Amino acid sequence: MLNPSTDNPSDWRLRWALLLAKIERVQSPDQGQALLAELSQPRVPTVLAFANAHAMNSMAVSTPFFEAMRSADRVLRDGSGMATLFKLLRMEPGLNLNGTDLIPRLVRAFDGRGIALFGTREPWLERAARRVREELAPHSTLTRANGFLDTGTYCLLAATHRPALIVLGMGMPRQEEVAAQLRAALDFPCLIVCGGAIIDFLGGKTPRAPLWMRKAGVEWMYRLALEPRRLFQRYVIGNPLFLTRALRLASTGRR
């Protein structure tokens, strides 16, 4: 790995090395359950982010996004691409704690406390809220807002309703930047989750891949088939770029 004290902080390899050192790698289901319990009892405003191949590519070229990811309080590994990167670096990747599977479990853990959904647009936002009310957290009060408002509005809504859990579904890099500003603005314990497409999934806008594709680590292929134009850059261009950078970083580490 690179040495943060001697290398150029604008170098993507150093950015990757710094974030990789921050990622929590959970090695067993028992550890995963302990992590879930810990996350569900925040003592201060706490940001949870997920690092996947797209995040690593974005971080390589965007200083604000790199800083937002690095400032997150907790970062988890998301996706098979990150597992490949850790293996190339001869590090155990741990369990795949992707947000699409973990966040519904978190919502259940917060049942009975206030929950905010900030992201996507109607009608999927209302459908997601209905699913939370009916299936995941029937005893919670919900606050919701679409994902296209200014950050100050989200801060005001959160300060007014004081939810214990705030789920952001705005996509990278905006949700990570909004999360950092929410944490700075709020003065009560809460977990702020950078959820990507989770509200779209909950609202039925974006269907999940078949279970066998999820287990095989190729859910991205399913999503690409559904939205080829929007996701072409992320997957068709981004995945080979990520793998090239992963190989270069591994080579640098060996040297």
Side-chain angles (χ1 to χ4, degrees):
M1 299 287 272
L2 302 176
N3 184 347
S5 66
T6 59
D7 290 283
N8 183 350
S10 66
D11 189 330
W12 67 266
R13 292 168 299 178
L14 178 60
R15 295 182 181 185
W16 279 32
L18 289 169
L19 192 72
L20 287 170
K22 189 179 182 73
I23 294 173
E24 300 177 45
R25 289 170 289 137
V26 175
Q27 302 298 335
S28 71
D30 285 346
Q31 289 182 12
Q33 193 60 39
L35 173 67
L36 187 70
E38 185 179 349
L39 290 171
S40 67
Q41 296 296 330
R43 298 181 180 180
V44 295
T46 301
V47 173
L48 171 64
F50 295 87
N52 56 25
H54 177 57
M56 300 300 282
N57 279 339
S58 299
M59 199 174 67
V61 297
S62 170
T63 298
F65 181 61
F66 163 66
E67 292 173 347
M69 285 292 293
R70 194 182 176 197
S71 75
D73 300 288
R74 316 291 292 264
V75 182
L76 302 178
R77 174 181 82 78
D78 179 355
S80 56
M82 294 299 293
T84 298
L85 174 57
F86 276 115
K87 289 174 182 177
L88 286 171
L89 296 170
R90 300 176 184 176
M91 302 166 69
E92 284 294 327
L95 301 179
N96 179 24
L97 296 178
N98 66 86
T100 311
D101 292 324
L102 182 65
I103 294 171
R105 295 173 63 195
L106 274 171
V107 173
R108 285 191 175 96
F110 278 84
D111 187 21
R113 290 173 282 172
I115 297 173
L117 302 179
F118 296 156
T120 196
R121 63 172 79 243
E122 301 296 356
W124 299 286
L125 179 57
E126 166 55 28
R127 292 174 184 171
R130 186 184 313 135
R131 184 175 175 192
V132 170
R133 286 193 299 266
E134 294 176 355
E135 299 178 26
L136 302 178
H139 304 101
S140 291
T141 58
L142 292 187
T143 303
R144 72 177 195 264
N146 72 62
F148 302 92
L149 307 176
D150 62 274
T151 304
T153 299
Y154 301 123
C155 291
L156 179 60
L157 284 168
T160 301
H161 296 279
R162 300 176 70 86
L165 174 65
I166 301 173
V167 179
L168 304 179
M170 305 166 185
M172 296 176 178
R174 186 166 186 244
Q175 64 190 10
E176 286 75 17
E177 296 167 1
V178 169
Q181 294 184 57
L182 278 168
R183 180 183 54 195
L186 302 179
D187 62 356
F188 57 89
C190 60
L191 181 67
I192 306 163
V193 182
C194 299
I198 184 61
I199 302 177
D200 284 333
F201 283 122
L202 291 174
K205 179 183 179 183
T206 304
R208 293 296 305 273
L211 184 59
W212 70 266
M213 296 188 78
R214 286 182 253 166
K215 288 184 175 180
V218 293
E219 186 168 11
W220 66 270
M221 292 183 179
Y222 183 81
R223 294 190 63 193
L224 178 62
L226 290 178
E227 301 181 87
R229 181 172 298 181
R230 186 176 76 85
L231 296 177
F232 182 88
Q233 184 71 29
R234 177 182 298 190
Y235 293 132
V236 178
I237 304 299
N239 282 357
L241 178 60
F242 171 82
L243 182 58
T244 299
R245 286 175 168 150
L247 290 167
R248 290 178 61 190
L249 185 68
S251 176
T252 299
R254 285 192 291 271
R255 290 200 299 271

